Amino acid sequence: MLDMTLRRKGFESDQAADGLEAVQTVTGHGMDHYDIIFMDSVMPNLCGPDAARRLRQLGYTKLIVGVTGNAMDVDVNDFESAGADVVLTKPMRVDALAKVLEFCQENGCVSHFHRTLEPRDRLKAWVYQQKK
């Protein structure tokens, strides 16, 4: 669904079979190749939070969006502390995805992970704001 939605909105998308392949793909193309990485929490070989952590350690500076079926605060916080800028829960709402993409188009895709909390909080507020 994620790939299909991104393509419908005019974005190009690559997929990786697991977390280790995701890290290798990003490093293989260069750290500036991907503007946003959507990272599933549960993957073989390297889970999403560990893959996000590794990408941050390797110098990836753009947005990482965690995707998880576990909506518990502890799971979301684990993903965010590993390097995700925002975490979307499954089933993923198309409007939440659209808000991430809209935020990126209006504000740029540079991550503010570990720099300051204010831009990350703005991204979270942008994504999680309730429809009126």
Side-chain angles (χ1 to χ4, degrees):
M1 183 206 76
L2 179 59
D3 183 58
M4 183 175 61
T5 302
L6 290 171
R7 289 181 189 278
R8 262 196 252 137
K9 293 189 174 290
F11 293 89
E12 293 180 23
S13 173
D14 290 333
Q15 295 184 30
D18 59 51
L20 188 57
E21 183 181 324
V23 171
Q24 291 169 340
T25 299
V26 172
T27 57
H29 281 100
M31 291 297 189
D32 290 332
H33 182 75
Y34 295 100
D35 289 327
I36 305 174
I37 295 174
F38 290 89
M39 185 79 63
D40 202 326
S41 178
V42 178
M43 296 185 289
N45 295 321
L46 192 64
C47 69
D50 288 345
R53 186 176 292 108
R54 188 169 294 175
L55 285 168
R56 292 295 186 211
Q57 290 168 347
L58 292 170
Y60 184 77
T61 60
K62 296 185 180 181
L63 290 182
I64 296 176
V65 177
V67 180
T68 182
N70 303 323
M72 303 284 293
D73 285 343
V74 67
D75 297 311
V76 172
N77 292 339
D78 181 45
F79 223 142
E80 289 178 343
S81 68
D85 293 284
V86 67
V87 179
L88 302 178
T89 57
K90 296 179 191 177
M92 190 184 311
R93 295 184 357 246
V94 175
D95 64 323
L97 172 60
K99 287 180 187 209
V100 169
L101 299 175
E102 184 181 340
F103 180 90
C104 210
Q105 288 173 327
E106 291 188 14
N107 298 282
C109 293
V110 175
S111 173
H112 296 279
F113 179 74
H114 282 315
R115 293 186 194 158
T116 175
L117 288 179
E118 188 272 330
R120 286 182 72 213
D121 290 342
R122 275 190 343 167
L123 175 60
K124 283 181 176 180
W126 185 286
V127 171
Y128 297 132
Q129 72 184 5
Q130 298 296 320
K131 285 186 172 182
K132 293 184 180 182

